[in-house]
Amino acid sequence: MPLTPSTTARERDNIPPVPPGSVIGILGGGQLGRMLSLAAARMGYACHIYTPDHDSPASTVSAMTTVAPWDSRDHLAAFADRVDVITLEFENIPLDCLDFLSQRTRVHPARPVLETAQDRIKEKTFFSAFAQTAPWAPVFSENDLIHAVEVTGTPAILKTNRLGYDGKGQVRVETQAELAKAWDTLKTDCAILEGFVAFRGEASILIARGRNGETASWDLAWNKHRNHILDTSSVPAPVSKIVAAEALRIACEAAKRLDLTGLLALEFFVTHDDRILVNEMAPRPHNSGHWTMDGSYTDQFEQALRAVCGLPLGDTRRRCAVTMKNLLGHDVANWPMILENPLARLHLYGKASPRPGRKMGHINFLEG
């Protein structure tokens, strides 16, 4: 997608860009933070990681790291004083932490974006205003669950309203007889029930939005999962122009309504009759966007930094067809064989201990 016209908006934006040589603060120390830090170094920035975790993947490639709890006001204040702008590598940052930091320096994306992303009920309500979703209903008790299944039908998925990823915090409900057991298993007082839909596949789109409203997006990716964890993402996606255009419309509308500065990933179900249903969003770099690191003129990590630093957005055109494959657990031991393929680009995350389902790295397989 070409960049949107933004000359007038840029003239109105009197906040100067964050120049190279500045320090970018990153909340979270996982592999997304690591790849943000590597992209920042290419652009002449230093990164300061704030994370509760010791020996995080991002820390080994960053100039500075603060290891402290999210509620440590002293550490947060010192961190804010040492950086020029703050962004994040995962969306479940406590909102109080974000508020505290925002009083001291610029933080992108802002609180309203995370508030929506962290709460499935708010997220579904948000998208229902301008897009389609699978049938869903909020659930606050076992009695609510009985009424919710009248909306969704069975089978359905009961999900915690907050947290949960890669299949965690979810229980599949096959029949109404399983409702009580599902509610007891989830151990929560706030959830949503989502009905199943017949779909052809799953897709995702990434869009970047700058401080002045300038936007740029990448090609739609086609995703396949293994044990609820993303296995591969391929571009171009096998979808019609109608599906691609609708995905882009929804992404642009979401970024605008959220007043986003940064990066937004949206995941969709694509039905057999070419409807697309929004599944969920993530206001950060996304696993399904890793193909951009070798397959696009501007990758998602550089673009995220361009957006939060107030720089012009980069060219998002695709260079070639790409299939990204995650390396989970002991898959990483195959690195010697992977490197024998001249069209495979290996990205490892520096994690010491492989565990089943743990993302240890990824490969981008390039096609001519």
Side-chain angles (χ1 to χ4, degrees):
M1 172 190 172
L3 302 184
T4 56
S6 57
T7 304
T8 304
R10 187 174 291 118
E11 289 172 352
R12 291 198 305 265
D13 184 5
N14 56 10
I15 302 173
V18 179
S22 301
V23 180
I24 299 173
I26 299 175
L27 301 175
Q31 64 262 22
L32 299 179
R34 178 187 178 92
M35 289 180 273
L36 278 170
S37 296
L38 292 170
R42 292 199 311 267
M43 300 168 69
Y45 295 99
C47 285
H48 186 160
I49 306 298
Y50 190 103
T51 175
D53 303 319
H54 291 274
D55 301 320
S56 64
S59 298
T60 60
V61 298
S62 300
M64 295 159 278
T65 299
T66 295
V67 178
W70 294 118
D71 60 357
S72 175
R73 293 293 185 254
D74 290 343
H75 286 98
L76 289 171
F79 169 71
D81 289 344
R82 294 172 187 162
V83 303
D84 298 286
V85 66
I86 294 174
T87 190
L88 50 89
E89 65 113 34
F90 82 116
E91 61 270 32
N92 289 314
I93 309 294
L95 296 178
D96 287 348
C97 167
L98 213 66
D99 290 340
F100 183 85
L101 292 170
S102 298
Q103 294 169 6
R104 287 159 175 77
T105 191
R106 282 172 287 173
V107 180
H108 302 299
R111 178 194 171 110
V113 181
L114 268 70
E115 203 167 13
T116 302
Q118 290 178 6
D119 187 301
R120 294 187 194 276
I121 293 174
K122 289 182 179 179
E123 182 183 53
K124 295 294 185 187
T125 303
F126 171 74
F127 282 108
S128 294
F130 59 94
Q132 295 184 67
T133 69
W136 68 280
V139 180
F140 303 99
S141 67
E142 185 180 332
N143 190 55
D144 283 346
L145 186 54
I146 295 170
H147 294 293
V149 79
E150 296 174 3
V151 175
T152 66
T154 56
I157 296 285
L158 184 64
K159 299 180 179 180
T160 56
N161 190 48
R162 291 180 175 272
L163 305 175
Y165 62 95
D166 290 343
K168 300 179 178 68
Q170 301 182 14
V171 179
R172 184 182 176 108
V173 180
E174 294 287 353
T175 66
Q176 293 195 28
E178 298 176 4
L179 293 178
K181 181 180 178 182
W183 183 250
D184 289 342
T185 299
L186 210 56
K187 299 185 187 306
T188 185
D189 59 359
C190 189
I192 68 168
L193 187 68
E194 288 186 6
F196 274 76
V197 292
F199 60 88
R200 182 166 67 88
E202 299 178 57
S204 58
I205 193 170
L206 279 165
I207 188 167
R209 186 172 186 267
R211 293 192 322 211
N212 53 16
E214 179 184 37
T215 61
S217 69
W218 290 263
D219 285 0
L220 201 66
W222 193 249
N223 303 325
K224 295 183 179 180
H225 292 75
R226 180 174 48 154
N227 298 324
H228 303 289
I229 302 173
L230 183 66
D231 183 25
T232 63
S233 290
S234 302
V235 290
V239 298
S240 67
K241 291 182 179 179
I242 293 173
V243 167
E246 177 63 2
L248 179 57
R249 180 196 72 81
I250 294 170
C252 290
E253 186 67 18
K256 180 180 177 181
R257 290 187 182 220
L258 291 167
D259 195 19
L260 174 81
T261 295
L263 206 62
L264 183 68
L266 298 183
E267 297 182 41
F268 304 99
F269 299 120
V270 181
T271 67
H272 294 281
D273 59 352
D274 268 4
R275 291 180 302 123
I276 62 173
L277 310 177
V278 180
N279 181 25
E280 59 186 22
M281 71 179 223
R284 53 163 171 79
H286 195 260
N287 196 173
S288 68
H290 290 349
W291 70 267
T292 65
M293 297 174 74
D294 301 293
S296 175
Y297 287 99
T298 307
D299 68 62
Q300 65 168 337
F301 300 100
E302 177 181 328
Q303 195 80 298
L305 297 170
R306 283 173 173 257
V308 303
C309 289
L311 306 177
L313 299 183
D315 188 340
T316 55
R317 285 178 298 167
R318 178 170 51 82
R319 294 175 180 268
C320 59
V322 186
T323 295
M324 185 285 301
K325 179 170 177 59
N326 273 326
L327 293 173
L328 304 178
H330 292 282
D331 291 348
V332 71
N334 294 325
W335 65 265
M337 184 172 59
I338 294 165
L339 290 176
E340 291 178 2
N341 182 344
L343 295 180
R345 298 291 183 266
L346 179 64
H347 300 267
L348 299 181
Y349 304 155
K351 297 179 181 179
S353 55
R355 297 192 301 268
R358 191 182 194 196
K359 294 172 183 173
M360 302 298 294
H362 70 269
I363 319 159
N364 283 332
F365 291 102
L366 310 183
E367 302 174 26

